[in-house]
Amino acid sequence: MQYTTKKIRKMFLDFFKENNHKIIESSSLIPQKNSNLLFTNAGMNQFQNIFLGKEKYQFQKVATVQKCLRTGGKHNDLEQVGYSQYHHTFFEMLGNFSFGDYFKKEAILYAWKLLTDRNWFNLPKEKILVTVYQDDNESYNIWKNLIGLSVENIILIGNTPNNPYVSDNFWQMGETGPCGPCTEIFFKKSNDIFKISHLKDKKKYIEIWNIVFIQFNRINQNKIIPLPIFSVDTGMGLERIASILQNVNSNYEIDIFKELKKSILKINNLKKIKHTKSLNVISDHIRASVFIIQENILPDNEHRGYVLRRIIRRALRHGEKLGIKNPFFYKIVPDVIKCIKIFGEKIRFQQNNIKNILKKEELQFTKTLQTGLKLLKSEIKKIKNHQLDGKTVFYLYDTIGFPIDLTQDICKEYQINININELKNEINKKKRQSKQNKNKIKNLPNVIQNTYTSTFKGYNHNKITCIVKQIFVNQQAVNKILPEEKGIIILDRSPFYGESGGQIGDSGIIYNSKSLFHVQNTQNYATTIIHIGQIKIGSLEINDLVTAHIDEKKRKLIQNNHSATHLLQHALNKILKKNIIQKGSYISEKYLRFDFSYNQEISIKEIFCIEKLINKNIQKNINICDDHLNFEEAKNQGYIFFQNKTYNSIVRTLKIGNISKELCKGTHAHNTGNIGLFKIIYEKSISRGIRRIEAVTGKKALKHIYNQYKKNININKILKSNHESIIPKIKKLIINYKNLEQSNKQLNKNIIAIQTKELINKIIQIKKINFLNSEIKIKDRKLLKNMIDQLKNKIHTGIIILFYKKISKNIFMVGVTNNLTNIIQSNKIIEIIKKYANGSGGGKAEIAECITENINNLDQLINYIKKWIELKI
Ligand code: SER
């Protein structure tokens, strides 16, 4: 029987259908909300909440063919691809599941029957070996007594020493979540007498099916709690079982990979290749790339986009190893799509889009790859102790953009280690540097560190009474700040917002009946709010009772801009149809700036749609509410947060109706209506994959529109045009200008030709060498040079000095024909001129120039030069 991959998939599903399982579609590669996974890594992910008893499912027995990606977290096979014959980033997992229905006995019986029954996979029973978790007597007995497996073929696997529940036979999805003991089925590939180490040697034994008995929920590293229902989660890699049923020695030799690899060779016109590993890598990575992009993920510098970028870059580097010179990766997309029909037609419609995204990434990276590889290879050649220094790795990454993991990958091939400590040092150094650059209050006195904790009262108050707790003047802690002195005041509590989360600090006043301190800026320093400013009236002392009052007008404008920033992120997500990740922001009373990851141009129409949606939400006058929640709770409720930021256990949440939910410490408008009007004033890419939008709100937006209008009116006036005809008019002017430029060029050519002819007549001889010196009428450097070149061509051997007058200056240019420069040099003559007339300039032996003061006695200068020439010849 011919077991094609297609057939195996079908047989698996048919088997479980016959056994009353409901066939469920694969879930997306992007795990459901609130999951702690980056990508779906097992068939059971989509049922996570059902295993945990949080949700009830309409079916109790199901089977799936699940798209999986193992490129991070607990299950990461990326680095294995290319080295292992049985690992993939993307693969299909065949699985059957029971949610509180059947348990160990049935699960093992099903697996045994499907694998060994003559009507199904018909594998020889004597080739099967299983592992069982050490405490799981029940499974052991089922294998031994019910299935009749000899005890030599049932291996008990315990915990890793001192690590409860850390074992190859205690499966867990991630750091937390459903888990339980498992029994794994292996296929023997060799007849050697069994040793435990053989289980890790894929030439001898291949693990084909993992049957997990989900009984626990892992809460953290040390704690697991029993679940209300006992379930079954099984997983069998389609590609692996296919390798056994097709009797080949690698997943990469099965039908689908054979086809794919053939296409890669054909596309690149390759017949024989040295590196079959590279071909395997490319065929694995193109499948992963296609499936990730299909989930609307684009190459990026972080999160899922970064995984995609790593995969693509790794593949491109292997393309380079195969000697492929031109972009090729994107061309394989149709061949991948051909063999993955099972996952629906949707992907077929995305074919061109996927190709374009890959092509763009490929073109962008090729140059970096070439430069980086050249440098890395030359460094590798110099290595003596099998270790590459961290500085080079960091330089490659930081300056050239060559990814660290790619360097690692290449070093692995050359059996070279990277000096990781040195690399970490370099990375930390850079981090510290950029932190310092960011830290606007770096000049604050060190004494402020770890000092007073002030309470922020500014969410609900603009003005409160408080007590002066600390004062700093000239980098020193003092008891009193005197009249006119500049310094820092720290209060027990404050309505002033210290700059953070992109929102600038407040300004305002701190005062009592005798004194007034102007706060110019407010910053946060650890848990202290720092008011920076100057005493304008009287003086202030520690323990003085004061009133702190923020500039309310400014704060309102900042708040409106902050809320508008949240509306902007929402609108970007909606209009650009991408999960926009914030990369930075700046929110002041004047404008707002928002940086975000996005790989494409944003069209004028999209800008308009974004503005329209935001203004619509402003008009709806939606309530803006804040709250304080437990971080986990906030995450569960779908609040947006920064992946790389650490949060306190209690966080502030900010909700704008049902359109925006973010963790945010900033101050906000009460209703979206307060924003009034929103207008984008700037949109551009600021670095690869990151774009910046700047916008204004309220009166500033209106003013911006007015200014644009005024500008348009003025342009119309200047060009004697109107709104409708202005564009054609400008286009016409540009054409006219170009025509004029063209004819001007022609005229100049003619003038040069005429003048050159005239000048030829002025040539004299100095010891039989042509010498020309003349003032000319063209007052243009470029033309002057052009003329000297033409004259040189005409006279073959000689020296030319031309100049023109410009206000009270003279501009000289000197040319010497090539055949004379060994004795006479233009720059030497220029030096004489410079000395004579206080000039500046220089050049080469063939041509040089200078600008000088006005020269009254030009003949004298020329005579000097002539004499100098005579002496030289
Ligand atoms: N979840 C288990 C695994 O991934 C069985 O499906 O191995």
Side-chain angles (χ1 to χ4, degrees), residues 259-274:
E259 284 303 312
L260 199 52
K261 290 198 293 186
K262 237 195 251 165
S263 308
I264 298 171
L265 292 178
K266 197 166 153 212
I267 285 167
N268 294 297
N269 229 343
L270 296 170
K271 296 216 165 60
K272 272 192 184 161
I273 50 161
K274 268 201 257 157

Side-chain angles (χ1 to χ4, degrees), residues 99-110:
F99 310 120
D101 191 275
Y102 61 83
F103 202 45
K104 298 187 177 175
K105 187 176 95 189
E106 293 84 343
I108 292 175
L109 282 171
Y110 282 143

Side-chain angles (χ1 to χ4, degrees), residues 83-238:
Y83 298 92
S84 153
Q85 299 296 333
Y86 294 98
H87 283 91
H88 299 283
T89 52
F90 173 84
F91 67 100
E92 295 176 50
M93 189 184 267
L94 310 171
N96 58 293
F97 306 88
S98 147
F99 310 120
D101 191 275
Y102 61 83
F103 202 45
K104 298 187 177 175
K105 187 176 95 189
E106 293 84 343
I108 292 175
L109 282 171
Y110 282 143
W112 185 254
K113 183 166 183 200
L114 177 64
L115 289 179
T116 60
D117 192 285
R118 291 179 54 206
N119 297 320
W120 297 99
F121 291 166
N122 196 21
L123 290 178
K125 292 180 178 141
E126 65 282 4
K127 294 253 178 193
I128 303 282
L129 175 140
V130 299
T131 59
V132 172
Y133 185 57
Q134 63 177 9
D135 299 342
D136 187 2
N137 293 334
E138 194 185 342
S139 297
Y140 184 88
N141 287 329
I142 296 168
W143 283 117
K144 183 170 159 247
N145 302 327
L146 214 61
I147 303 288
L149 219 56
S150 66
V151 288
E152 302 87 72
N153 286 334
I154 312 172
I155 315 296
L156 286 175
I157 303 282
N159 290 327
T160 318
N162 303 326
N163 270 321
Y165 306 118
V166 175
S167 160
D168 280 351
N169 279 58
F170 194 91
W171 195 85
Q172 41 210 19
M173 183 190 82
E175 299 305 331
T176 57
C179 56
C182 60
T183 176
E184 296 193 84
I185 304 174
F186 285 74
F187 186 77
K188 290 185 197 178
K189 298 197 75 186
S190 98
N191 293 324
D192 294 0
I193 297 172
F194 178 75
K195 276 198 218 145
I196 196 81
S197 60
H198 289 174
L199 290 181
K200 302 270 177 215
D201 183 347
K202 301 236 165 341
K203 285 202 184 93
K204 298 193 166 36
Y205 283 85
I206 312 179
E207 172 209 330
I208 46 175
W209 203 341
N210 189 11
I211 303 170
V212 185
F213 307 114
I214 302 273
Q215 287 169 256
F216 303 100
N217 182 10
R218 181 177 279 279
I219 305 296
N220 57 38
Q221 208 185 347
N222 301 313
K223 191 169 169 195
I224 61 169
I225 53 169
L227 286 169
I229 54 164
F230 285 0
S231 304
V232 172
D233 148 34
T234 87
M236 171 157 62
L238 171 68

Side-chain angles (χ1 to χ4, degrees), residues 13 120 130 136 147 189 209 259 488 491 508 556 562 614 622 633 641 663 724 752 781 795 825 827 853:
L13 293 178
W120 297 99
V130 299
D136 187 2
I147 303 288
K189 298 197 75 186
W209 203 341
E259 284 303 312
I488 287 165
L491 304 169
K556 262 197 188 133
H562 201 153
I614 295 173
I622 307 163
E633 176 63 23
F641 59 98
L663 297 193
E724 282 73 39
I752 289 173
R781 262 193 72 238
I795 62 175
Q825 298 83 17
N827 44 359
E853 285 173 0

Side-chain angles (χ1 to χ4, degrees), residues 624-765:
I624 302 176
C625 315
D626 65 345
D627 199 355
H628 283 85
L629 289 181
N630 179 290
F631 180 50
E632 286 305 317
E633 176 63 23
K635 248 168 61 177
N636 286 343
Q637 289 189 19
Y639 279 90
I640 304 178
F641 59 98
F642 283 101
Q643 296 284 344
N644 302 330
K645 192 171 156 181
T646 29
Y647 287 91
N648 291 336
S649 50
I650 301 293
V651 289
R652 180 165 180 263
T653 56
L654 209 281
K655 193 169 159 197
I656 307 183
N658 54 9
I659 59 171
S660 159
K661 284 169 108 185
E662 287 189 37
L663 297 193
C664 179
K665 280 208 259 178
T667 59
H668 282 267
H670 295 301
N671 303 297
T672 55
N674 297 143
I675 301 167
L677 182 63
F678 176 93
K679 182 84 192 85
I680 291 175
I681 54 171
Y682 175 95
E683 189 287 318
K684 249 197 177 110
S685 157
I686 51 165
S687 64
R688 191 186 287 178
I690 301 189
R691 301 197 79 83
R692 168 168 292 175
I693 283 185
E694 288 177 1
V696 283
T697 62
K699 272 190 195 164
K700 290 242 158 37
L702 207 58
K703 186 80 199 284
H704 177 83
I705 295 167
Y706 163 74
N707 283 342
Q708 295 295 344
Y709 177 73
K710 201 166 79 180
K711 211 187 279 170
N712 282 349
I713 299 278
N714 282 338
I715 294 172
N716 281 336
K717 265 193 195 152
I718 294 166
L719 297 180
K720 296 194 176 49
S721 173
N722 56 42
H723 187 67
E724 282 73 39
S725 59
I726 185 77
I727 300 288
K729 178 113 195 198
I730 290 175
K731 283 186 178 158
K732 206 170 140 197
L733 281 174
I734 291 173
I735 293 171
N736 284 350
Y737 175 78
K738 283 199 172 135
N739 288 342
L740 280 175
E741 229 180 17
Q742 207 52 40
S743 55
N744 194 29
K745 240 190 203 160
Q746 191 50 49
L747 279 174
N748 279 334
K749 246 191 190 164
N750 297 346
I751 293 172
I752 289 173
I754 295 166
Q755 285 223 347
T756 312
K757 243 189 207 161
E758 283 171 16
L759 287 172
I760 296 277
N761 298 332
K762 289 191 179 174
I763 290 177
I764 59 159
Q765 305 287 312

